[in-house]
């Protein structure tokens, strides 16, 4: 049923719950796990030019660690995995990558913001759910 499972990750401390759900599903299906971390280009809008390179380096390092956590879990479970780091708007990049790899399932987390916070701040998971026709499993990973 699922051959390619996409796991977008921000590397947050509570991503383990999302990774576990993705690995469990991939193991049952014999699927390849695709890890994706997106460096949000909007982070740079308010930075002084002198800070851009340092912040970009730190974000790139964090993104690499985030996808490594997913691929290491997949390898430990005996699964095939791939990883990518992209730059752009997270929702858009997740959707584009899902299309590129032909993802059968997207497994991602949501932080459980209350109704007001969700309306005011938006949500990457909400963006993906709204814009995709792919099956999507959204795993709650704690309250903000």
């Amino acid at each position: 049923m699922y051959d390619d499972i996409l796991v977008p990750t921000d590397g947050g401390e509570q991503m383990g719950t999302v990774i576990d759900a993705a690995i469990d599903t991939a193991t049952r299906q014999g699927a390849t796990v695709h890890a994706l971390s997106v460096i949000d280009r909007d982070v740079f809008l308010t930075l002084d030019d002198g800070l851009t390179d340092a912040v970009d380096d730190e974000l790139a390092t964090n993104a690499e660690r985030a996808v490594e956590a997913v691929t290491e879990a997949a390898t430990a479970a005996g699964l095939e995995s791939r990883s990518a780091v992209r730059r752009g708007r997270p929702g858009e990049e997740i959707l584009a990558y899902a299309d590129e790899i032909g993802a059968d399932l997207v497994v991602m987390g949501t932080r459980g913001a209350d109704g007001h916070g969700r309306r005011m701040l938006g949500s990457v998971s909400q963006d993906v759910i709204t814009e995709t026709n792919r099956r999507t499993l959204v795993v709650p990973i704690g309250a903000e």
Side-chain angles (χ1 to χ4, degrees), residues 3-89:
D3 294 320
D4 293 283
I5 297 175
L6 174 57
V7 183
T9 178
D10 64 2
E13 290 179 19
Q14 297 177 326
M15 274 301 297
T17 304
V18 176
I19 295 169
D20 290 347
I23 297 302
D24 181 56
T25 303
T27 300
R28 286 186 275 122
Q29 300 292 318
T32 299
V33 175
H34 299 264
L36 173 67
S37 188
V38 179
I39 299 169
D40 189 344
R41 70 175 186 217
D42 289 344
V43 168
F44 300 100
L45 294 176
T46 59
L47 288 179
D48 292 330
D49 288 339
L51 296 175
T52 302
D53 289 342
V55 170
D56 185 58
D57 289 346
E58 183 176 343
L59 292 174
T61 298
N62 291 341
E64 288 295 336
R65 285 188 191 132
V67 296
E68 275 180 24
V70 177
T71 58
E72 287 174 1
T75 299
L79 298 167
E80 185 178 337
S81 65
R82 295 188 179 93
S83 67
V85 173
R86 299 279 177 97
R87 286 175 167 72
R89 293 189 169 209

Side-chain angles (χ1 to χ4, degrees), residues 101-143:
I101 65 167
D104 303 300
L105 177 68
V106 178
V107 179
M108 59 191 310
T110 186
R111 287 204 167 54
D114 64 20
H116 176 71
R118 191 173 293 120
R119 283 190 304 274
M120 295 302 292
L121 300 174
S123 165
V124 173
S125 56
Q126 183 65 40
D127 290 345
V128 171
I129 292 166
T130 302
E131 297 297 324
T132 191
N133 59 0
R134 298 180 187 284
R135 290 187 176 124
T136 307
L137 172 61
V138 179
V139 180
I141 57 175

